[in-house]
Amino acid sequence: MTATTVQITESKERLRTRRVRWVAGGAVVLALLFAGAASLASARGDGEPGVPAADAADAGFARDMAVHHQQAVEMSFIVRDRTDDEDVRRLAYDIANTQANQRGMLLGWLDLWELPKVAPGGAGPMTWMGGEDGHGDHAAGHGGGGGAGLMPGMATKDELKRLGELNGEQAEVFYLQLMTDHHKGGVSMAGACVSRCSVPVEKRLAAGMVEGQQSELGLMRDMLAARGAKPRT
């Protein structure tokens, strides 16, 4: 075995262990979500306990991360059809499955809180993170990608189109680079919720996102190295 192969194998094992913990933790989160549904449903309104205001960090994070996750799911489905590599396809499946489930939780909370799924008053994305343009102290250093009007780390339409036109190792490398940028942005957003959100179950979900995506960042770095490539700068 080469050193790179050993690193990838170890990264996969660490990620697999964390996924077992995530599944167990996710079950607890879901149990808490449904157990608290009745109390949340009866405690609606900006000033009521357990229900954040429409412009609060809790609501902003739920709205924006749901959109952010949706693109990760989309990119993962694209690469699934562009390569036969089992490692990349397995990673793409894990990311799509995990983030689709998390997205469902986030949208479910907005429904329970009876809050809109778009920012009130025509505010743009990321305003809950601070700063007039929504790109506050946590948004910097998201690792590339994105662009005007996009959240940290998100791919542009042109990049998504290019991913859909590549095949084989070229598609694998570009997907891993795009998803690395995407995860860096996601970690930034989730970390901001950990420090700014007030609903305990949402803060725990955000902390789990940070841990899970940081593990996948290490795995993707090793997978890129095995293909003679690096994350984008």
Side-chain angles (χ1 to χ4, degrees):
M1 278 190 178
T2 66
T4 299
T5 301
V6 171
Q7 288 176 344
I8 293 176
T9 301
E10 292 176 347
S11 295
K12 288 178 181 176
E13 290 301 322
R14 289 195 300 269
L15 186 57
R16 190 173 295 112
T17 299
R18 287 189 172 92
R19 283 200 183 284
V20 172
R21 293 175 182 167
W22 161 251
V23 171
V28 173
V29 169
L30 285 172
L32 290 171
L33 174 61
F34 289 111
S39 60
L40 281 172
S42 63
R44 295 182 176 116
D46 289 351
E48 296 297 326
V51 178
D55 59 353
D58 304 83
F61 174 73
R63 285 190 297 262
D64 288 347
M65 189 56 88
V67 175
H68 204 267
H69 273 17
Q70 181 58 36
Q71 189 182 78
V73 173
E74 180 184 355
M75 290 194 295
S76 296
F77 277 121
I78 291 174
V79 80
R80 180 195 63 178
D81 298 328
R82 312 308 299 178
T83 179
D84 294 326
D85 184 89
E86 287 302 318
D87 288 338
V88 173
R89 287 170 62 90
R90 188 179 300 111
L91 174 66
Y93 172 81
D94 287 345
I95 290 175
N97 188 55
T98 298
Q99 297 208 13
N101 288 335
Q102 292 174 347
R103 183 173 184 271
M105 292 182 197
L106 296 167
L107 294 176
W109 283 325
L110 290 172
D111 283 337
L112 286 172
W113 297 331
E114 291 191 347
L115 294 178
K117 294 182 176 64
V118 295
M126 310 307 297
T127 54
W128 60 275
M129 285 179 69
E132 294 182 0
D133 60 354
H135 292 266
D137 52 338
H138 291 278
H142 53 72
L150 296 179
M151 285 176 274
M154 288 188 72
T156 65
K157 291 182 178 179
D158 287 343
E159 288 171 333
L160 293 177
K161 180 180 178 182
R162 181 186 170 199
L163 179 62
E165 295 170 345
L166 298 174
N167 290 294
E169 188 171 287
Q170 287 185 324
E172 297 160 21
V173 168
F174 195 48
Y175 169 76
L176 292 169
Q177 290 173 332
L178 289 178
M179 194 58 73
T180 293
D181 292 345
H182 205 272
H183 270 24
K184 287 179 179 178
V187 168
S188 175
M189 293 168 65
C193 179
V194 171
S195 63
R196 294 170 182 259
C197 292
S198 59
V199 178
V201 70
E202 188 175 21
K203 288 170 72 76
R204 288 195 292 273
L205 177 64
M209 290 179 186
V210 171
E211 181 181 3
Q213 293 193 27
Q214 284 178 335
S215 295
E216 288 173 341
L217 280 169
L219 175 59
M220 290 189 290
R221 181 184 61 246
D222 293 340
M223 293 174 74
L224 281 168
R227 292 161 175 79
K230 298 179 181 180
R232 298 193 299 182
T233 58

